[in-house]
């Protein structure tokens, strides 16, 4: 059966057309009915329109394939049907990274407490999502796990609250930290391993429309044999790191450059090698003088 | 939520009732315009009226303008770098289509977006230019082996080049139609009809730009983005309208041909946007039956082919236009061979999925 729902995320909403029950069930579970409009009317709109369709090929009738599309664009190769929900989440990230130029967009997690936000730019596999969850465990709210939307030439981050993508061993670890949070079905054997999407905490949803101001940049990098090693970064190192993870600097040009330079100038940055994410949280809370 | 052709034309004539659109209809209109590469054009067209539009539409228009501004800037930078690289091999480096409109500036340029830069150079210079550009980071975009041979043997352009750092795509032409069609004009005629942009770049003359755009639209197997091209032609006419312009256009069609294509383009522009066309380029100069058929087919295919566009029998028209386009471009034996190869590949794709001929890294 074909479903058409509007996912009312802020600041961008999505009209999702899908015939995958897995997708609909997981959207319900992870975003909750408050964020999902299952019967859109003429007055409802979405910023972007995407589809996630399960199809069978004549030459391979025993296996369904999931295909993600936005307008006429298909950014990914088809995946197996059991990865369809994860594929949708990645697709939504892609849509925003590819179309939005009103913000400087950095591939990074963003969390905040007392309006002080930290930016976690990182490569896949560095433990960014796990670190984000450790912050949530300590009462920080999630603004985003993937896309930091920064207003040009400011330190202001606009939240884009969506689930956190957990991989492999971190699925179980984080489930223990945040047992209350809804979790999607596991998408097995993706290019990132077994992944599950975890719903953000109550406070993250509640404050999904309140911006926060960047106060620190942390580059997490997980290493099993290092407890916690903190290395402050120079302005230039910080700039290079944020620049490397910025999606749309090429389009924003000078404006993008000055935004990133502004962050590197005004905000202290650290490279933290860790195997105990809680240590990063205590360090940051101490540095920013946040009451725990 | 399905838009009529009249509503669409009304947008550009500023006669459409945009204020009565529902949110859902606005959403559909944005999708339709973006899919036709007209969203940025629309954003500039309504720059002073957009305050009354819903906030989410304004956000899209803002994005579209940012992207278009960036592209225009990039094209100018690329042009500045390309000309010195090519000029030692080719006497003329002519900018065509979208890049030409951008470089010419004005309303024509505002919000015109495209996916590649098209230039025309001397045929003898092709290999040297390709080699030279290769040293500067321009590499051939991956195409399959059949398409590579197709371009090299029969076409009026080489396979597209892509810049390895900047991602810009460059189409280098040596003519405006495939030589294999037997209808390619001597390139000397093209290089006689040129003009300079304010920035000092050479483009085809206004009349030759109209001719080329018409050829691109109708002497071709698909009319994808055809509606956008008609708006370009309309804007070219508005900007360069003069006795000399029309005389040059008539003379051009007399000596290089493609009169039918130009007549078709001017006919639709005059119908949609209320523009006067001189007698010599009106449909009654064509045989009646031929015109009847062409009009039937192309009046459907120049409209956007989109789920939100109302257009009956568009599918059949697109198929017929596709057949005519191939018929124009290639002699029969080559056409049959081309269909055989393309057809069998299509069949295999149907069977094993659209991505079977792609290598596994290219998609994600």
């Amino acid at each position: 059966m074909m479903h058409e729902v509007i996912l009312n995320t802020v600041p961008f909403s999505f009209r999702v057309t899908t015939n995958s029950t897995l997708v609909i069930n997981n959207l319900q579970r992870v975003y909750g009915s408050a964020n999902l409009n299952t019967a859109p009317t003429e007055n409802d709109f979405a910023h972007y329109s995407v589809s996630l369709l399960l199809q069978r090929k004549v030459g391979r009738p025993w296996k369904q394939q999931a295909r993600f599309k936005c307008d006429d664009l298909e950014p990914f190769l088809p995946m197996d049907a059991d990865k369809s929900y994860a594929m949708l989440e990645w697709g939504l990230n892609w849509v925003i990274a590819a179309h939005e130029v009103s913000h400087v967009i950095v591939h990074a997690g963003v969390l905040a407490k007392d309006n002080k936000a930290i930016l976690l730019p990182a490569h896949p596999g560095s433990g960014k999502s796990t670190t984000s969850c450790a912050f949530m465990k300590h009462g920080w709210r999630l603004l985003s796990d993937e896309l930091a939307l920064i207003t040009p030439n400011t330190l202001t981050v606009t939240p884009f609250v969506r689930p956190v993508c957990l991989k492999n061993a971190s699925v179980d670890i984080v489930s223990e930290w945040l047992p209350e949070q809804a979790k999607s079905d596991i998408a097995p054997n993706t290019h990132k391993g077994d992944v599950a999407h975890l719903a953000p905490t109550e406070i993250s949803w509640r404050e999904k429309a309140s911006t926060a101001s960047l106060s620190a940049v942390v580059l997490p990098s997980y290493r099993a044999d290092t407890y916690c090693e903190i290395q402050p970064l120079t302005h230039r190192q910080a700039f290079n790191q944020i620049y490397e993870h910025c999606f749309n600097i090429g389009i924003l040009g000078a404006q993008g450059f000055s935004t990133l330079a502004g962050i590197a100038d005004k905000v202290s940055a650290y490279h933290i090698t860790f195997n105990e994410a809680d240590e990063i949280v205590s360090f940051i809370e101490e540095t920013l003088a946040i009451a725990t | 939520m399905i838009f009529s052709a009249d509503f669409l034309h009304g947008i550009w004539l500023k006669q459409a009732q945009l204020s009565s659109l529902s949110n859902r209809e606005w959403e559909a209109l944005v999708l339709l315009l973006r899919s036709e590469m007209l969203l940025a054009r629309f954003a500039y067209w309504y720059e002073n009226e957009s305050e009354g539009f819903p906030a989410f539409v304004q956000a899209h228009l803002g994005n579209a303008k940012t992207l278009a501004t960036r592209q225009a800037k990039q094209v100018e930078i690329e042009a500045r770098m390309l000309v010195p690289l090519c000029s030692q091999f080719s006497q003329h480096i002519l900018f065509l289509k979208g890049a030409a409109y951008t470089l010419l500036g004005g309303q024509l340029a505002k919000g015109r977006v495209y996916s590649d830069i098209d230039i025309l150079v001397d045929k003898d210079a092709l290999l040297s230019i390709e080699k030279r550009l290769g040293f500067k980071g321009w590499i051939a975009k991956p195409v399959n082996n059949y398409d590579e041979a197709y371009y090299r043997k029969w076409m009026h352009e080489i396979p597209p080049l892509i810049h390895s750092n900047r991602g810009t795509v460059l189409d280098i032409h040596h003519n405006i139609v495939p030589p294999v069609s037997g209808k390619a004009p001597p390139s000397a005629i093209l290089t006689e009809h040129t003009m300079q942009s304010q920035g000092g770049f050479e483009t085809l003359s206004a009349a030759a730009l109209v001719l080329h755009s018409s050829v691109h639209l109708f002497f071709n197997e698909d009319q994808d983005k055809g509606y956008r091209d008609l708006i370009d032609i309309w804007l070219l006419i508005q900007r360069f309208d003069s006795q000399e312009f029309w005389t040059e256009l008539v003379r051009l069609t007399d000596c290089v041909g493609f009169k039918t294509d130009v007549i078709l383009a001017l006919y639709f522009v005059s119908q949609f946007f209320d523009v006067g066309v001189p007698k010599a380029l009106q449909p009654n100069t064509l045989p009646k039956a031929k015109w009847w058929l062409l009009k039937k087919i192309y009046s459907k295919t120049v409209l956007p082919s989109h789920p939100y566009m109302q257009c009956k029998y568009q599918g059949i028209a697109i198929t017929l236009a596709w057949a005519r386009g191939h018929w124009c471009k290639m002699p029969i034996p080559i056409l049959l061979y081309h269909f055989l190869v393309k057809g069998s590949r299509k069949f295999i794709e149907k069977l094993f999925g659209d991505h079977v001929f792609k290598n596994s890294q290219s998609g994600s």
Side-chain angles (χ1 to χ4, degrees):
Chain A
M1 193 181 116
M2 200 61 87
H3 303 266
E4 187 182 306
V5 299
I6 292 184
L7 186 57
N8 276 316
T9 37
V10 187
F12 315 115
S13 53
F14 302 93
R15 187 180 297 273
V16 181
T17 307
T18 183
N19 59 353
S20 159
T21 328
L22 182 83
V23 165
I24 288 294
N25 290 345
N26 279 295
L27 283 175
Q28 296 272 16
R29 197 190 311 164
V30 176
Y31 287 88
S33 40
N35 295 311
L36 204 62
N37 179 352
T38 48
T41 67
E42 193 61 25
N43 282 321
D44 297 321
F45 68 87
H47 289 85
Y48 291 98
S49 197
V50 302
S51 70
L52 191 298
L53 298 183
L54 301 182
Q55 292 173 343
R56 283 179 205 281
K57 277 282 149 233
V58 187
R60 206 200 271 169
W62 59 91
K63 208 169 182 182
Q64 276 193 323
Q65 282 199 313
R67 295 178 71 168
F68 174 85
K69 279 191 186 170
C70 172
D71 302 357
D72 326 321
L73 304 170
E74 187 174 8
F76 312 123
L77 292 174
M79 295 182 194
D80 293 338
D82 56 2
K83 305 176 182 60
S84 54
Y85 174 65
M87 188 184 199
L88 175 71
E89 285 291 341
W90 293 327
L92 299 185
N93 291 339
W94 175 85
V95 168
I96 298 308
H99 290 92
E100 281 298 332
V101 289
S102 54
H103 295 89
V104 178
I105 304 184
V106 179
H107 180 231
V110 188
L111 296 109
K113 204 176 199 178
D114 305 346
N115 191 36
K116 290 177 183 163
I118 53 152
L119 187 74
L120 305 166
H123 290 291
S126 54
K128 165 176 62 88
S129 300
T130 315
T131 313
S132 295
C133 290
F135 276 96
M136 276 204 280
K137 177 173 71 163
H138 290 274
W140 289 61
R141 68 177 170 109
L142 181 82
L143 283 85
S144 174
D145 180 46
E146 295 280 351
L147 303 168
L149 309 175
I150 303 165
T151 309
N153 293 320
T154 68
L155 297 176
T156 308
V157 186
T158 301
F160 182 35
V161 180
R162 302 231 332 270
V164 178
C165 177
L166 299 170
K167 296 117 206 162
N168 304 317
S170 66
V171 178
D172 289 333
I173 298 173
V174 170
S175 300
E176 269 177 43
W177 294 349
L178 299 162
E180 310 274 289
Q181 298 323 116
K183 210 169 57 197
S184 75
D185 293 315
I186 288 185
N189 301 318
T190 70
H191 58 288
K192 301 183 178 204
D194 295 347
V195 309
H197 283 82
L198 180 97
T201 48
E202 181 53 37
I203 185 172
S204 312
W205 284 125
R206 212 166 47 230
E207 310 232 339
K208 65 180 179 184
S210 337
T211 58
S213 187
L214 280 181
S215 306
V217 176
V218 173
L219 282 102
S221 91
Y222 174 82
R223 214 161 79 194
D225 64 357
T226 309
Y227 183 65
C228 183
E229 218 172 80
I230 299 165
Q231 186 194 0
L233 300 180
T234 62
H235 291 182
R236 177 196 282 222
Q237 286 171 322
F239 176 85
N240 283 346
Q241 290 294 338
I242 311 169
Y243 176 88
E244 197 186 321
H245 292 96
C246 183
F247 284 112
N248 53 5
I249 185 108
I251 288 153
L252 294 172
Q255 197 185 41
F257 186 92
S258 61
T259 307
L260 300 191
I263 298 171
D265 277 348
K266 293 179 196 132
V267 172
S268 35
Y270 309 92
H271 179 238
I272 304 184
T273 314
F274 71 101
N275 65 15
E276 182 57 62
D278 282 345
E279 284 303 312
I280 303 185
V281 182
S282 355
F283 168 71
I284 288 295
E285 290 188 339
E286 207 172 295
T287 312
L288 299 180
I290 287 172
T292 47
Chain B
M1 211 178 62
I2 306 286
F3 301 108
S4 69
D6 285 337
F7 176 82
L8 196 61
H9 309 328
I11 288 179
W12 309 104
L13 297 167
K14 298 227 169 158
Q15 290 163 0
Q17 292 293 319
L18 294 178
S19 54
S20 62
L21 292 182
S22 71
N23 278 336
R24 181 68 186 95
E25 286 168 330
W26 267 116
E27 183 188 328
L29 183 61
V30 168
L31 285 180
L32 174 64
L33 291 171
R34 189 163 54 215
S35 152
E36 293 306 305
M37 290 180 121
L38 282 168
L39 191 59
R41 182 72 95 196
F42 176 83
Y44 283 107
W45 210 267
Y46 281 92
E47 202 162 21
N48 300 322
E49 289 102 314
S50 63
E51 268 178 27
F53 298 169
F56 80 98
V57 176
Q58 292 188 43
H60 277 303
L61 300 185
N63 283 332
K65 281 197 283 190
T66 307
L67 288 166
T69 312
R70 179 70 200 126
Q71 189 182 49
K73 208 167 169 184
Q74 189 63 35
V75 167
E76 203 160 327
I77 295 170
E78 298 289 359
R80 261 181 222 299
M81 291 194 278
L82 276 170
V83 172
L85 284 176
C86 306
S87 56
Q88 69 178 106
F89 307 109
S90 174
Q91 205 191 340
H92 293 272
I93 297 116
L94 295 180
F95 289 88
L96 309 173
K97 297 192 265 186
Y101 306 150
T102 297
L103 295 172
L104 287 170
Q107 179 82 319
L108 181 63
K110 283 220 151 162
R112 177 57 157 89
V113 290
Y114 36 93
S115 42
D116 41 28
I117 298 175
D118 296 279
I119 58 171
L120 186 125
V121 299
D122 302 342
K123 193 174 183 188
D124 314 334
L126 275 178
L127 273 180
S128 329
I129 288 180
E130 209 182 340
K131 230 183 248 170
R132 183 79 205 273
L133 291 179
F135 283 112
K136 294 287 176 184
W138 293 95
I139 49 175
K141 219 176 160 182
V143 291
N144 65 45
N145 48 3
Y146 176 73
D147 286 344
E148 171 83 24
Y150 167 85
Y151 274 109
R152 298 278 173 191
K153 267 205 323 232
W154 298 323
M155 286 296 111
H156 52 302
E157 55 191 327
I158 61 172
L161 300 178
I162 182 163
H163 194 276
S164 50
N165 292 338
R166 303 192 295 273
T168 317
V169 179
L170 179 67
D171 268 349
I172 307 183
H173 304 242
H174 57 84
N175 208 308
I176 55 170
V177 296
V180 71
S181 67
K183 290 162 195 152
S187 46
I189 298 186
L190 296 172
T191 50
E192 273 166 27
H193 292 86
T194 65
M195 60 181 171
Q196 291 254 328
S197 78
Q198 275 197 335
F201 298 106
E202 197 175 16
T203 70
L204 287 174
S205 69
L209 281 171
V210 169
L211 177 99
H212 184 210
S213 186
S214 311
V215 168
H216 191 253
L217 237 177
F218 299 109
F219 193 85
N220 202 345
E221 67 274 15
D222 81 76
Q223 274 73 46
D224 189 33
K225 314 282 183 287
Y227 192 73
R228 174 196 66 177
D229 294 356
L230 286 180
I231 292 179
D232 292 338
I233 295 177
W234 175 34
L235 292 176
L236 276 168
I237 294 174
Q238 274 190 343
R239 168 132 163 216
F240 295 99
D241 192 9
S242 68
Q243 191 60 49
E244 297 84 67
F245 165 79
W246 291 110
T247 317
E248 188 187 340
L249 187 55
V250 173
R251 213 178 47 225
L252 255 174
T253 54
D254 285 341
C255 72
V256 300
F258 308 112
K259 196 165 201 157
T260 310
D261 308 286
V262 172
I263 288 174
L264 272 167
L266 294 178
Y267 173 77
F268 290 119
V269 169
S270 70
Q271 291 289 304
F272 295 172
F273 308 119
D274 198 17
V275 171
V277 173
K279 279 214 167 65
L281 294 171
Q282 283 180 7
N284 49 24
T285 56
L286 296 176
K288 270 213 170 69
K290 179 182 175 183
W291 174 248
W292 179 83
L293 189 64
L294 288 176
K295 193 173 94 175
K296 271 264 176 291
I297 297 174
Y298 288 110
S299 60
K300 312 269 179 224
T301 63
V302 293
L303 292 174
S305 160
H306 194 277
Y308 294 143
M309 187 76 220
Q310 182 187 53
C311 187
K312 267 191 183 169
Y313 308 116
Q314 196 179 28
I316 303 169
I318 287 174
T319 311
L320 291 172
W322 176 84
R324 178 179 176 267
H326 274 102
W327 181 264
C328 291
K329 268 165 70 170
M330 293 184 210
I332 292 167
I334 291 180
L335 191 58
L336 289 176
Y337 174 71
H338 180 65
F339 280 167
L340 193 72
V341 176
K342 279 284 185 193
S344 54
R345 283 191 178 223
K346 264 264 144 48
F347 177 72
I348 293 169
E349 281 176 354
K350 276 266 170 303
L351 214 57
F352 296 106
D354 291 345
H355 301 277
V356 63
F357 287 114
K358 293 183 187 165
N359 69 41
S360 56
Q361 282 107 41
S362 64
S364 52

